[in-house]
Amino acid sequence: MEFRPCIDIHNGKVKQIVGSSLRDDGDCATENFISRHDAAYFARLYQERGIRGGHVILLNPTESIYYEATKRQAVSALAAYPGGLQAGGGIHAENAAAFLEAGASHVIVTSYVFRDGQIAYGNLERICREVGKERLVLDLSCRKKDGTYYIVTDRWQKYTDVVLDRKTLEFFAGFCSEFLIHAVDVEGKAEGIETELVALLGTFDRIPVTYAGGVRSYEDLRLLKETGHGRVHVTIGSALDLFGGSMELERILETIRL
């Protein structure tokens, strides 16, 4: 189990938001925290502590009036910590190489590999060829509907028809080197982890998996480690002291090492 930091960028600023509140219409979201620091500041901080594998996420769609400002922030973070961070948000076969050249260790892809609620096999194969399996992370973030987890796309706003289960994980693992999975219904709320989802992810050991969503305490970290059998990495957003929360980065690292 490892700590994977995050740098979420929305409307050109580093923020923590409630994931389920994000809307493209009007570029709005419920905000938990807006940083006075730019993205490069956090990238350098993670680099100084030797924390690798974090993700920089662009939360605006490419057609947004804020997209270029958001992209500039992301690129500055990648340049500040070359090879130490992954980049995601609106990435596809045509622009993935640019993010890798900007310093990303991996690109994170979701919406591009789904169309009309189904897996877009052609796009999945195309992005895998373009960047290589070893530099591709698939974001299989999910929400519960009728008691079942479904993968969601387009900044978590659209349900697909694809159930997140062991079979789905096995299939997608053939195309990427890692999964990033947000429990969207609890993302940004710091109300506790989705133990059912973590238990599912803990049964999978073919490639690394990073879980995000709801972590609010050091006890949640211990629960996640136990429920995920020590296999599931974790990212913490709103509860982290860097983003206005009460959980101290150094104590998080210490708790995970125990």
Side-chain angles (χ1 to χ4, degrees), residues 88-104:
I91 292 179
H92 47 75
E94 286 70 36
N95 69 0
F99 284 94
L100 295 175
E101 291 167 4

Side-chain angles (χ1 to χ4, degrees), residues 20-86:
S20 58
S21 74
L22 185 61
R23 297 290 181 270
D24 290 348
D25 185 18
D27 295 297
C28 61
T30 300
E31 298 166 340
N32 290 329
F33 178 83
I34 303 175
S35 178
R36 61 185 177 88
H37 298 294
D38 62 11
Y41 166 88
F42 292 100
R44 288 190 293 268
L45 186 151
Y46 298 143
Q47 183 183 43
E48 289 167 3
R49 285 162 174 75
I51 306 171
R52 302 180 63 85
H55 49 275
V56 180
I57 303 296
L58 293 77
L59 291 174
N60 293 103
T62 55
E63 60 271 18
S64 167
I65 61 173
Y66 295 103
Y67 178 76
E68 289 303 323
T70 290
K71 183 179 177 182
R72 283 193 296 272
Q73 285 277 353
V75 170
S76 72
L78 299 176
Y81 191 5
L85 297 166
Q86 304 168 359

